[in-house]
Amino acid sequence: MRFKVEHSGPGRLRVSSNSPFGPAGRKVLRERLLALPGVTRVTVYKYGSGLVLEYRGSRAALLNALQRLEVLDLCQDPGDIGIAPEERELFDVFYEAALRRALTHTLLPPVVRAPVTLIKSLPFIPPALRALRQRRLTVEVLDATAIVVSQLMGDFSTASSIIFLLNLGEDLEGWVETRSRERLEGSLSFLSHSAWVITESGGLKETAIADVRVGDHVSVTSGRGIPLDGEVLRGRGMVNESTLTGEPLAVPKTVGDAVYASTVVENGELTLRVTSLATESRISQIVRLMTGGENFQSPRQRLNQTRADAVVAYNFLGAAITYALTRSVTRALLFLLVDISCVLKISTPIVVMTAMRQMGDQQVLIKGGRFVEEFAQADTFVFDKTGTLTTTRPLVMDVLTFGGFSREEVIRYAACLEEHYYHPIGHAVVEQADRENIPHDEMHGELTYIVSHGIQSEIDGKRTVIGSRHFVIEDEGVPITAEQEAVIAEQAQRYNLLYFSIDQQLAGVFCIDAPLRPNARQVMDTLRAQGKHLVMLTGDQQARAGELAAELGIEEVHSEVFPEDKHLFVQQQQRRGRRVVMVGDGINDSAALHAADIAVVMAESADLAQQVADVVILSNDLGALTELGHMSRGLERRLTGLYTGIIGVNGGLLALGLFNVLPGNLLALLHNASTIGFSLYSLGDLEVERFALPNEGESLPASEMRERPPEKGSSTA
């Protein structure tokens, strides 16, 4: 069994395996993972092949142990053979329906069956009467008419069969909706994690989010995420609210201030009083958004449901004409028994839900069925750069050294300072030291952290400063030569720079940037091969944006743009008749995302962007864009085939009935059996065409594989 890292955070790792888990397999896997060094908690998703590890200690050591883990054939447990949990539950639906049928019809004497059928038919009458009062001929009117007419003719067996199959269809539809909701919630379950609740005795207890209550006191230390909305009771700290506001700089929080779930304490320690269970309600809201409203229905689904109600009038017209010509109530009843509209209404939403569920299994959250169907029709893909085409996790790309200091010395001293304060850029320096196996034991004096500037301290009695150019060069007055300036200026066009000085002498400059997301190049190649027009909109500098666009093969680039420019660009494309997919991540993309035909964001995006978005890529893997395109085309093929099959089968049944080949009760049985058959066919996974990407199947994302230290001595001055 191989594992792939999907998302990484402080003390938390979400991974997926190359094969799904059965019930017994989940138990075995959890036991094996808990035995790994440093692992404190394991959550294995009920559906799919994802799991979350919470750990203490070295991330690299955990990854190594995880890749060496051998779990022998988890699916070979006797409890897992043959039937997956979903199939077992589907069997229950049919089993319970068959049992009810036996108890209320088959096993009852004929004299009792008629009144039982009459009683069971009563719930179908009120919906039909309501529709008639509104002067509408709907599927409910058709079903009720078929049941009532059958009973008036004394054919209680046909009426009972219709009732049984209609109820079974409702059970199947409810099962699909429940299963889809559970899977969608399961795909979001990694958002919920534990909180350190302060007990009555003053101790700390790690508590699952579901068990935390409003009013509980929660402790959040430096580098940890705030699990729930709350109010600060004690302490002070700097909180990064970029996930909420999109702003990168942390803001100070002290007693009385409000703090919000999904934000991070960069430094300091806070004690909170929980004011609301925001994380839980957010998941519920997202699921409701996905399964409710017009966006949930695809255009074909709405069309088929409109067709379904329209067909009802023709059912009654056919019945009237047949009776007028043959004077046979039995033949006229055929047009009521063979109800094409019923199977259209049941099977079409099942197919759409199946497509959404399949994408949910691949960690793609879709808030409406129409976004699946319309995705393949989009012809223009507009990408933000930072956090979308690139990762949100900065890395040290190069180290410039000056003043006779070696690369190893610069990294060791800088990491020694930065490891005490969690900040993405500072964390990149510490990670670089770990990758190059450079020890950075404490060798400094008292540390002073200056917000938005950097850190100052002493090493061997010498003043050391690390931070922005403004802090080191201007505020601290560290001199810089023309030669050094020339070398630094060249790198400043490509990277973010972190300056480091010792004893008023510039010792080094860290060149930091966020690397491309795994599969970014391959995804752009695939979209371009499909005839999609690719555009990059970014607030970054022209040189940096142009270099990245050239690397990815993006034809159109607009740099140094503001949020309103992005919004205007999307509208301009739409006025030209283009269907636009906007892929962004931050609050500055929200207006453009809202304007686009389909808005796509990563799970790492700001909350506002996620609320505006139509599609959220929970895996943060751009490859989901091509997979969603394949699913969109697969959905279109399935819906087209389904409609053709329904018309063909039911048209054939009508012909057989009109020519007296089949009796009415058998015709009703075959029609409703075909309805179940089409519904079960709709439940099956959609077949999608997949083109293997070059790095598909690697056990770790490409970014993990790339994170190797540069060769010694590169770019030194």
Side-chain angles (χ1 to χ4, degrees), residues 217 230-239 251-259 269-273:
H217 293 183
E231 178 186 351
V232 179
L233 295 179
R234 291 187 298 276
R236 65 172 56 238
M238 300 297 296
V239 177
V251 295
K253 296 289 183 179
T254 188
V255 176
D257 290 338
V259 292
E269 185 171 348
L270 302 175
T271 298
L272 321 173
R273 182 181 63 83

PDB file of all heavy atoms in Angstrom, residues 217 230-239 251-259 269-273:
ATOM      1  N   HIS A 217     -13.684  26.673  27.418  1.00  0.00           N
ATOM      2  CA  HIS A 217     -12.450  27.447  27.292  1.00  0.00           C
ATOM      3  C   HIS A 217     -11.409  26.599  26.562  1.00  0.00           C
ATOM      4  O   HIS A 217     -11.164  25.449  26.929  1.00  0.00           O
ATOM      5  CB  HIS A 217     -11.933  27.862  28.670  1.00  0.00           C
ATOM      6  CG  HIS A 217     -12.820  28.841  29.354  1.00  0.00           C
ATOM      7  ND1 HIS A 217     -12.524  29.402  30.585  1.00  0.00           N
ATOM      8  CD2 HIS A 217     -14.015  29.382  28.993  1.00  0.00           C
ATOM      9  CE1 HIS A 217     -13.488  30.223  30.944  1.00  0.00           C
ATOM     10  NE2 HIS A 217     -14.410  30.229  29.995  1.00  0.00           N
ATOM     11  N   GLY A 230     -14.463  32.314  18.671  1.00  0.00           N
ATOM     12  CA  GLY A 230     -14.415  32.553  20.109  1.00  0.00           C
ATOM     13  C   GLY A 230     -14.016  33.963  20.461  1.00  0.00           C
ATOM     14  O   GLY A 230     -13.775  34.811  19.589  1.00  0.00           O
ATOM     15  N   GLU A 231     -13.919  34.209  21.773  1.00  0.00           N
ATOM     16  CA  GLU A 231     -13.500  35.507  22.315  1.00  0.00           C
ATOM     17  C   GLU A 231     -12.281  35.275  23.210  1.00  0.00           C
ATOM     18  O   GLU A 231     -12.261  34.322  23.995  1.00  0.00           O
ATOM     19  CB  GLU A 231     -14.639  36.122  23.133  1.00  0.00           C
ATOM     20  CG  GLU A 231     -14.278  37.451  23.769  1.00  0.00           C
ATOM     21  CD  GLU A 231     -15.380  37.960  24.682  1.00  0.00           C
ATOM     22  OE1 GLU A 231     -16.483  37.366  24.680  1.00  0.00           O
ATOM     23  OE2 GLU A 231     -15.133  38.939  25.414  1.00  0.00           O
ATOM     24  N   VAL A 232     -11.274  36.131  23.080  1.00  0.00           N
ATOM     25  CA  VAL A 232     -10.044  35.969  23.846  1.00  0.00           C
ATOM     26  C   VAL A 232     -10.304  36.310  25.309  1.00  0.00           C
ATOM     27  O   VAL A 232     -10.749  37.417  25.635  1.00  0.00           O
ATOM     28  CB  VAL A 232      -8.920  36.860  23.281  1.00  0.00           C
ATOM     29  CG1 VAL A 232      -7.649  36.689  24.114  1.00  0.00           C
ATOM     30  CG2 VAL A 232      -8.639  36.513  21.818  1.00  0.00           C
ATOM     31  N   LEU A 233     -10.004  35.343  26.198  1.00  0.00           N
ATOM     32  CA  LEU A 233     -10.132  35.571  27.639  1.00  0.00           C
ATOM     33  C   LEU A 233      -8.806  35.954  28.272  1.00  0.00           C
ATOM     34  O   LEU A 233      -8.754  36.795  29.166  1.00  0.00           O
ATOM     35  CB  LEU A 233     -10.664  34.304  28.323  1.00  0.00           C
ATOM     36  CG  LEU A 233     -12.076  33.853  27.960  1.00  0.00           C
ATOM     37  CD1 LEU A 233     -12.416  32.572  28.717  1.00  0.00           C
ATOM     38  CD2 LEU A 233     -13.088  34.946  28.288  1.00  0.00           C
ATOM     39  N   ARG A 234      -7.718  35.312  27.820  1.00  0.00           N
ATOM     40  CA  ARG A 234      -6.391  35.574  28.375  1.00  0.00           C
ATOM     41  C   ARG A 234      -5.350  35.479  27.268  1.00  0.00           C
ATOM     42  O   ARG A 234      -5.535  34.767  26.276  1.00  0.00           O
ATOM     43  CB  ARG A 234      -6.045  34.567  29.483  1.00  0.00           C
ATOM     44  CG  ARG A 234      -6.868  34.713  30.747  1.00  0.00           C
ATOM     45  CD  ARG A 234      -6.340  33.792  31.855  1.00  0.00           C
ATOM     46  NE  ARG A 234      -6.432  32.385  31.484  1.00  0.00           N
ATOM     47  CZ  ARG A 234      -7.527  31.660  31.628  1.00  0.00           C
ATOM     48  NH1 ARG A 234      -8.624  32.204  32.126  1.00  0.00           N
ATOM     49  NH2 ARG A 234      -7.532  30.381  31.286  1.00  0.00           N
ATOM     50  N   GLY A 235      -4.248  36.198  27.479  1.00  0.00           N
ATOM     51  CA  GLY A 235      -3.120  36.108  26.568  1.00  0.00           C
ATOM     52  C   GLY A 235      -3.178  37.133  25.448  1.00  0.00           C
ATOM     53  O   GLY A 235      -4.136  37.904  25.309  1.00  0.00           O
ATOM     54  N   ARG A 236      -2.125  37.137  24.631  1.00  0.00           N
ATOM     55  CA  ARG A 236      -2.083  37.977  23.448  1.00  0.00           C
ATOM     56  C   ARG A 236      -1.261  37.257  22.393  1.00  0.00           C
ATOM     57  O   ARG A 236      -0.423  36.412  22.710  1.00  0.00           O
ATOM     58  CB  ARG A 236      -1.503  39.360  23.743  1.00  0.00           C
ATOM     59  CG  ARG A 236      -0.034  39.362  24.164  1.00  0.00           C
ATOM     60  CD  ARG A 236       0.537  40.773  24.262  1.00  0.00           C
ATOM     61  NE  ARG A 236      -0.212  41.629  25.146  1.00  0.00           N
ATOM     62  CZ  ARG A 236      -0.774  42.785  24.757  1.00  0.00           C
ATOM     63  NH1 ARG A 236      -0.658  43.165  23.495  1.00  0.00           N
ATOM     64  NH2 ARG A 236      -1.429  43.532  25.602  1.00  0.00           N
ATOM     65  N   GLY A 237      -1.523  37.555  21.155  1.00  0.00           N
ATOM     66  CA  GLY A 237      -0.799  36.894  20.084  1.00  0.00           C
ATOM     67  C   GLY A 237      -1.076  37.541  18.745  1.00  0.00           C
ATOM     68  O   GLY A 237      -1.950  38.404  18.613  1.00  0.00           O
ATOM     69  N   MET A 238      -0.315  37.116  17.756  1.00  0.00           N
ATOM     70  CA  MET A 238      -0.501  37.574  16.383  1.00  0.00           C
ATOM     71  C   MET A 238      -1.230  36.468  15.625  1.00  0.00           C
ATOM     72  O   MET A 238      -0.777  35.333  15.577  1.00  0.00           O
ATOM     73  CB  MET A 238       0.842  37.876  15.723  1.00  0.00           C
ATOM     74  CG  MET A 238       1.644  38.963  16.423  1.00  0.00           C
ATOM     75  SD  MET A 238       0.804  40.569  16.393  1.00  0.00           S
ATOM     76  CE  MET A 238       0.769  40.893  14.635  1.00  0.00           C
ATOM     77  N   VAL A 239      -2.373  36.807  15.034  1.00  0.00           N
ATOM     78  CA  VAL A 239      -3.222  35.822  14.367  1.00  0.00           C
ATOM     79  C   VAL A 239      -3.263  36.106  12.871  1.00  0.00           C
ATOM     80  O   VAL A 239      -3.587  37.218  12.450  1.00  0.00           O
ATOM     81  CB  VAL A 239      -4.650  35.828  14.947  1.00  0.00           C
ATOM     82  CG1 VAL A 239      -5.544  34.856  14.190  1.00  0.00           C
ATOM     83  CG2 VAL A 239      -4.623  35.481  16.429  1.00  0.00           C
ATOM     84  N   VAL A 251      -2.563  39.886  12.530  1.00  0.00           N
ATOM     85  CA  VAL A 251      -3.101  41.015  13.290  1.00  0.00           C
ATOM     86  C   VAL A 251      -3.025  40.689  14.783  1.00  0.00           C
ATOM     87  O   VAL A 251      -3.150  39.536  15.180  1.00  0.00           O
ATOM     88  CB  VAL A 251      -4.564  41.304  12.895  1.00  0.00           C
ATOM     89  CG1 VAL A 251      -4.636  41.766  11.450  1.00  0.00           C
ATOM     90  CG2 VAL A 251      -5.444  40.074  13.083  1.00  0.00           C
ATOM     91  N   PRO A 252      -2.804  41.710  15.624  1.00  0.00           N
ATOM     92  CA  PRO A 252      -2.707  41.448  17.064  1.00  0.00           C
ATOM     93  C   PRO A 252      -4.063  41.142  17.679  1.00  0.00           C
ATOM     94  O   PRO A 252      -5.075  41.736  17.310  1.00  0.00           O
ATOM     95  CB  PRO A 252      -2.141  42.771  17.609  1.00  0.00           C
ATOM     96  CG  PRO A 252      -2.564  43.810  16.616  1.00  0.00           C
ATOM     97  CD  PRO A 252      -2.566  43.125  15.280  1.00  0.00           C
ATOM     98  N   LYS A 253      -4.081  40.197  18.616  1.00  0.00           N
ATOM     99  CA  LYS A 253      -5.298  39.843  19.333  1.00  0.00           C
ATOM    100  C   LYS A 253      -4.993  39.822  20.821  1.00  0.00           C
ATOM    101  O   LYS A 253      -3.971  39.278  21.254  1.00  0.00           O
ATOM    102  CB  LYS A 253      -5.812  38.468  18.901  1.00  0.00           C
ATOM    103  CG  LYS A 253      -6.248  38.377  17.450  1.00  0.00           C
ATOM    104  CD  LYS A 253      -7.534  39.145  17.180  1.00  0.00           C
ATOM    105  CE  LYS A 253      -7.988  38.977  15.731  1.00  0.00           C
ATOM    106  NZ  LYS A 253      -9.250  39.684  15.455  1.00  0.00           N
ATOM    107  N   THR A 254      -5.891  40.428  21.594  1.00  0.00           N
ATOM    108  CA  THR A 254      -5.719  40.447  23.043  1.00  0.00           C
ATOM    109  C   THR A 254      -7.081  40.272  23.698  1.00  0.00           C
ATOM    110  O   THR A 254      -8.083  40.019  23.004  1.00  0.00           O
ATOM    111  CB  THR A 254      -5.046  41.753  23.492  1.00  0.00           C
ATOM    112  OG1 THR A 254      -4.737  41.658  24.888  1.00  0.00           O
ATOM    113  CG2 THR A 254      -5.910  42.962  23.227  1.00  0.00           C
ATOM    114  N   VAL A 255      -7.152  40.398  25.020  1.00  0.00           N
ATOM    115  CA  VAL A 255      -8.373  40.121  25.778  1.00  0.00           C
ATOM    116  C   VAL A 255      -9.552  40.924  25.227  1.00  0.00           C
ATOM    117  O   VAL A 255      -9.460  42.125  24.997  1.00  0.00           O
ATOM    118  CB  VAL A 255      -8.159  40.452  27.267  1.00  0.00           C
ATOM    119  CG1 VAL A 255      -9.459  40.254  28.046  1.00  0.00           C
ATOM    120  CG2 VAL A 255      -7.060  39.569  27.847  1.00  0.00           C
ATOM    121  N   GLY A 256     -10.653  40.217  24.978  1.00  0.00           N
ATOM    122  CA  GLY A 256     -11.866  40.854  24.491  1.00  0.00           C
ATOM    123  C   GLY A 256     -12.034  40.806  22.991  1.00  0.00           C
ATOM    124  O   GLY A 256     -13.139  41.036  22.482  1.00  0.00           O
ATOM    125  N   ASP A 257     -10.967  40.503  22.257  1.00  0.00           N
ATOM    126  CA  ASP A 257     -11.055  40.456  20.796  1.00  0.00           C
ATOM    127  C   ASP A 257     -11.721  39.165  20.331  1.00  0.00           C
ATOM    128  O   ASP A 257     -11.607  38.118  20.976  1.00  0.00           O
ATOM    129  CB  ASP A 257      -9.664  40.555  20.163  1.00  0.00           C
ATOM    130  CG  ASP A 257      -9.054  41.937  20.329  1.00  0.00           C
ATOM    131  OD1 ASP A 257      -9.833  42.895  20.547  1.00  0.00           O
ATOM    132  OD2 ASP A 257      -7.824  42.063  20.237  1.00  0.00           O
ATOM    133  N   ALA A 258     -12.388  39.265  19.191  1.00  0.00           N
ATOM    134  CA  ALA A 258     -12.996  38.080  18.580  1.00  0.00           C
ATOM    135  C   ALA A 258     -11.980  37.396  17.678  1.00  0.00           C
ATOM    136  O   ALA A 258     -11.200  38.051  16.987  1.00  0.00           O
ATOM    137  CB  ALA A 258     -14.228  38.476  17.779  1.00  0.00           C
ATOM    138  N   VAL A 259     -11.975  36.075  17.689  1.00  0.00           N
ATOM    139  CA  VAL A 259     -11.137  35.288  16.786  1.00  0.00           C
ATOM    140  C   VAL A 259     -12.027  34.273  16.087  1.00  0.00           C
ATOM    141  O   VAL A 259     -13.110  33.941  16.566  1.00  0.00           O
ATOM    142  CB  VAL A 259     -10.001  34.567  17.544  1.00  0.00           C
ATOM    143  CG1 VAL A 259      -8.989  35.562  18.074  1.00  0.00           C
ATOM    144  CG2 VAL A 259     -10.548  33.718  18.678  1.00  0.00           C
ATOM    145  N   GLU A 269       0.124  33.032  22.725  1.00  0.00           N
ATOM    146  CA  GLU A 269      -0.754  31.979  23.230  1.00  0.00           C
ATOM    147  C   GLU A 269      -2.050  32.615  23.679  1.00  0.00           C
ATOM    148  O   GLU A 269      -2.049  33.640  24.373  1.00  0.00           O
ATOM    149  CB  GLU A 269      -0.095  31.224  24.380  1.00  0.00           C
ATOM    150  CG  GLU A 269      -0.914  30.040  24.869  1.00  0.00           C
ATOM    151  CD  GLU A 269      -0.147  29.179  25.864  1.00  0.00           C
ATOM    152  OE1 GLU A 269       1.083  29.370  25.983  1.00  0.00           O
ATOM    153  OE2 GLU A 269      -0.768  28.321  26.504  1.00  0.00           O
ATOM    154  N   LEU A 270      -3.182  32.017  23.281  1.00  0.00           N
ATOM    155  CA  LEU A 270      -4.491  32.579  23.577  1.00  0.00           C
ATOM    156  C   LEU A 270      -5.361  31.558  24.297  1.00  0.00           C
ATOM    157  O   LEU A 270      -5.306  30.359  23.997  1.00  0.00           O
ATOM    158  CB  LEU A 270      -5.205  33.002  22.284  1.00  0.00           C
ATOM    159  CG  LEU A 270      -4.498  34.017  21.377  1.00  0.00           C
ATOM    160  CD1 LEU A 270      -5.300  34.215  20.098  1.00  0.00           C
ATOM    161  CD2 LEU A 270      -4.291  35.341  22.096  1.00  0.00           C
ATOM    162  N   THR A 271      -6.159  32.049  25.226  1.00  0.00           N
ATOM    163  CA  THR A 271      -7.216  31.247  25.830  1.00  0.00           C
ATOM    164  C   THR A 271      -8.536  31.831  25.366  1.00  0.00           C
ATOM    165  O   THR A 271      -8.801  33.022  25.546  1.00  0.00           O
ATOM    166  CB  THR A 271      -7.137  31.270  27.365  1.00  0.00           C
ATOM    167  OG1 THR A 271      -5.888  30.710  27.783  1.00  0.00           O
ATOM    168  CG2 THR A 271      -8.279  30.468  27.967  1.00  0.00           C
ATOM    169  N   LEU A 272      -9.375  31.000  24.752  1.00  0.00           N
ATOM    170  CA  LEU A 272     -10.611  31.472  24.141  1.00  0.00           C
ATOM    171  C   LEU A 272     -11.821  30.911  24.856  1.00  0.00           C
ATOM    172  O   LEU A 272     -11.785  29.809  25.406  1.00  0.00           O
ATOM    173  CB  LEU A 272     -10.693  31.034  22.671  1.00  0.00           C
ATOM    174  CG  LEU A 272      -9.424  31.059  21.828  1.00  0.00           C
ATOM    175  CD1 LEU A 272      -9.716  30.435  20.476  1.00  0.00           C
ATOM    176  CD2 LEU A 272      -8.927  32.478  21.677  1.00  0.00           C
ATOM    177  N   ARG A 273     -12.892  31.672  24.812  1.00  0.00           N
ATOM    178  CA  ARG A 273     -14.208  31.149  25.179  1.00  0.00           C
ATOM    179  C   ARG A 273     -14.968  30.908  23.880  1.00  0.00           C
ATOM    180  O   ARG A 273     -15.162  31.825  23.083  1.00  0.00           O
ATOM    181  CB  ARG A 273     -14.975  32.132  26.063  1.00  0.00           C
ATOM    182  CG  ARG A 273     -16.354  31.613  26.509  1.00  0.00           C
ATOM    183  CD  ARG A 273     -17.078  32.649  27.363  1.00  0.00           C
ATOM    184  NE  ARG A 273     -17.355  33.862  26.610  1.00  0.00           N
ATOM    185  CZ  ARG A 273     -18.397  34.008  25.802  1.00  0.00           C
ATOM    186  NH1 ARG A 273     -19.257  33.016  25.630  1.00  0.00           N
ATOM    187  NH2 ARG A 273     -18.583  35.141  25.158  1.00  0.00           N
TER     188      ARG A 273
END
